[in-house]
Amino acid sequence: MMKRVAVIGAGAAGLSALRSLVKCQNHLLNFVAFETSDRVGGTWIHNDPFKATSMYDRLVTNLPTDVMAYPGFPFSTDDERSFVGHKEVLKYLQRFAEHYNLLQHIRFREKVIEVDILSPESANEHDQWSVTVRNEESGLVTTHQFDYVLICNGHYTEPKLSNIQGLDTFDGEVLHSHHYRSPSAYKNKVVLILGAGPSGVDIAADLIDDASKIYLSHNKKASPVISNKVEMVSGIERVDGKDIILRDGKIVNSDVILLATGYRFSFPFMAKRCHPTISSNRVASLYRLLVDINHPSLYYVGLNQTIAPFPHFHAQTEFAAACISGEFSLPDRKEMEKQCDDLYQKLVTDRNEVEKHYHNLKEYQWTYIRELNHLLNRPPPTYVVENLYNHVHTVRQANSLLYKQSRYRLCNESHEGYVVVFEPSECQSTA
């Protein structure tokens, strides 16, 4: 019997899902992806006319292309740069889709407006799904039935706003990094950026030549090294008109407060009775951070952060496709719940972390990929990408402004080596 599979989104995670499903077509799979936009790419589309993305004008990747690439599908060898702009990443995703003939499986300008559970048919052991979509050109609404749903809608759509006392009294501009586009809008202005994660640091670096002064406000123990034009200050305690009172009692003034405070998980299309439980920005009850334990025919791809995203998506969608095709059988509910509890212990309790950082995998991301491969009896990936990822992390800490000038080259994907073609001397001091 033909299994029907829906993929929500045709960004990097959705394309990975389609590629994995294509390889399983001999298992009688019928699958389709629904995409709101008129093209592939998701968040990597700059100024998408059909949906808001977080892509700003001069964004450059914070990982080298040899780390970012899907396994077995490298970025263009014509570009010697390791850190490329959003246009190059979008071209890469388009090339990936074309190379594997994925476009024929995508219904563009089709927005998913509801995913709801159907009463299981007597012949099936798992839930089935009703997926309602709206054609954004004609307005026509249609409902389709599926056996499995892979949710690949990304997590850079709903900004997480800080609950700062008095922020509404601020005598200036307040915006989230999601809405930042160009440094020219902040020419000769004083900008305070709240948050020293990747977005906050990258935007601070982007503003250096235009803003008159930049404050990077955060509570991290170690401050990133950017420029003497960027002053590190503590987190915001409260705002009172023009005054921004910091947690250490210092008062600063700025023209702009830019909130680089991350995003919330958002699944607005999920019906209430099957919507995942989200606690402190943790999507709960997911086996292997992927499979909904309450509805094991539902997969959430790409929720995790502080990872090399494309290789991570690949590992997840290969596992999902193996489950759907019957190559791998999920354990029973009790065992999935136990493993979910054990992972919480590992990622939160043992790390002495707060729950909101549950999806920040960091060094565990590589163990996670190897565990998924092991379950499928597939060979583990080589260590070369992991080693380069860790090296770049060290170089970034040495100098967050200049590290993207570095260039690297893998010696051979089947070995564990890479070559440092070039690194600025400022990045070599602690690397």
Side-chain angles (χ1 to χ4, degrees):
M1 180 178 175
M2 188 72 71
K3 298 176 182 178
R4 297 154 297 183
V5 186
V7 177
I8 301 177
L15 292 177
S16 181
L18 289 175
R19 168 60 180 142
S20 296
L21 291 168
V22 163
K23 290 189 287 185
C24 295
Q25 279 185 307
N26 60 331
H27 292 276
L28 298 178
L29 301 185
N30 185 358
F31 51 91
V32 62
F34 299 102
E35 169 55 50
T36 302
S37 188
D38 64 350
R39 67 203 81 173
V40 302
T43 195
W44 291 99
I45 301 173
H46 182 233
N47 294 329
D48 189 336
F50 304 113
K51 62 183 179 183
T53 72
S54 56
M55 208 51 50
Y56 55 90
D57 293 356
R58 301 197 305 197
L59 182 140
V60 173
T61 60
N62 57 17
L63 292 174
T65 54
D66 285 328
V67 171
M68 286 194 65
Y70 295 113
F73 193 80
F75 274 72
S76 172
T77 56
D78 295 334
D79 196 333
E80 295 183 355
R81 295 174 299 167
S82 287
F83 301 86
V84 299
H86 55 78
K87 291 181 180 179
E88 286 74 23
V89 178
L90 182 60
K91 289 178 182 177
Y92 171 80
L93 293 173
Q94 292 168 338
R95 187 165 59 88
F96 180 84
E98 292 167 0
H99 180 80
Y100 292 112
N101 297 314
L102 305 181
L103 299 178
Q104 62 181 313
H105 301 289
I106 304 172
R107 292 175 58 169
F108 292 105
R109 302 295 287 125
E110 295 270 345
K111 182 175 183 177
V112 174
I113 57 178
E114 185 180 62
V115 174
D116 200 359
I117 194 170
L118 293 172
S119 298
E121 296 178 1
S122 58
N124 292 308
E125 296 179 353
H126 63 267
D127 301 317
Q128 292 186 310
W129 301 94
S130 167
V131 178
T132 302
V133 300
R134 181 179 62 237
N135 184 289
E136 298 293 79
E137 299 293 338
S138 67
L140 179 66
V141 175
T142 55
T143 299
H144 312 269
Q145 186 172 329
F146 293 95
D147 300 296
Y148 298 89
V149 177
L150 278 69
I151 298 176
C152 307
N153 67 319
H155 51 75
Y156 295 114
T157 56
E158 186 172 322
K160 181 166 57 178
L161 302 176
S162 297
N163 186 22
I164 300 171
Q165 180 184 346
L167 186 61
D168 58 341
T169 72
F170 180 61
D171 188 17
E173 179 185 359
V174 178
L175 77 157
H176 190 273
S177 59
H178 183 64
H179 304 291
Y180 173 79
R181 289 295 178 268
S182 171
S184 62
Y186 306 97
K187 189 76 174 177
N188 300 323
K189 291 186 177 182
V190 179
V191 180
L192 183 144
I193 300 173
L194 178 61
S199 292
V201 172
D202 284 353
I203 291 174
D206 196 43
L207 286 167
I208 282 176
D209 293 333
D210 290 86
S212 60
K213 173 74 176 179
I214 303 165
Y215 294 106
L216 190 58
S217 172
H218 64 94
N219 298 307
K220 292 187 173 184
K221 294 179 181 178
S223 293
V225 178
I226 305 177
S227 163
N228 56 14
K229 196 173 182 179
V230 181
E231 181 179 344
M232 301 295 159
V233 296
S234 64
I236 298 176
E237 179 67 28
R238 59 187 174 89
V239 177
D240 185 6
K242 293 183 178 181
D243 293 335
I244 302 171
I245 299 91
L246 306 177
R247 290 188 174 183
D248 61 3
K250 182 178 179 177
I251 299 176
V252 299
N253 300 121
S254 74
D255 302 301
V256 180
I257 295 178
L258 193 152
L259 304 172
T261 47
Y263 295 82
R264 299 186 187 280
F265 293 117
S266 177
F267 311 103
F269 45 80
M270 292 301 297
K272 185 176 181 180
R273 59 179 172 173
C274 52
H275 195 286
T277 299
I278 301 177
S279 172
S280 299
N281 219 36
R282 171 202 173 212
V283 182
S285 299
L286 294 182
Y287 170 67
R288 298 287 173 176
L289 299 167
L290 175 64
V291 186
D292 190 329
I293 294 175
N294 297 310
H295 308 287
S297 53
L298 187 62
Y299 297 79
Y300 290 87
V301 180
L303 299 183
N304 302 314
Q305 301 165 49
T306 321
I307 57 170
F310 297 1
H312 189 84
F313 300 160
H314 173 80
Q316 288 194 315
T317 60
E318 288 290 290
F319 184 78
C323 294
I324 293 169
S325 67
E327 177 188 345
F328 179 80
S329 297
L330 292 169
D332 60 33
R333 182 187 180 96
K334 185 176 180 180
E335 177 60 23
M336 287 195 289
E337 289 176 339
K338 178 184 180 301
Q339 292 193 31
C340 191
D341 291 341
D342 291 346
L343 190 56
Y344 186 91
Q345 173 80 25
K346 180 182 294 185
L347 297 180
V348 178
T349 309
D350 292 350
R351 286 177 169 181
N352 196 28
E353 279 282 11
V354 292
E355 188 176 34
K356 69 178 182 179
H357 293 152
Y358 174 76
H359 289 284
N360 290 1
L361 299 195
K362 301 177 182 177
E363 69 281 354
Y364 175 68
Q365 64 176 301
W366 309 109
T367 301
Y368 174 79
I369 290 175
R370 292 188 179 92
E371 288 174 346
L372 293 183
N373 281 31
H374 177 73
L375 289 172
L376 302 181
N377 293 317
R378 297 182 185 179
T382 63
Y383 284 87
V384 60
V385 172
E386 177 182 354
N387 292 341
L388 180 53
Y389 178 97
N390 292 335
H391 176 80
V392 170
H393 174 73
T394 303
V395 171
R396 185 188 303 119
Q397 289 181 314
N399 193 300
S400 295
L401 178 63
L402 300 178
Y403 79 96
K404 293 183 182 182
Q405 296 177 12
S406 303
R407 298 195 304 275
Y408 306 97
R409 187 180 70 250
L410 299 186
C411 296
N412 188 319
E413 275 201 68
S414 64
H415 297 87
E416 297 178 15
Y418 60 86
V419 173
V420 178
V421 179
F422 170 76
E423 278 179 351
S425 58
E426 295 87 345
C427 298
Q428 297 172 2
S429 57
T430 61

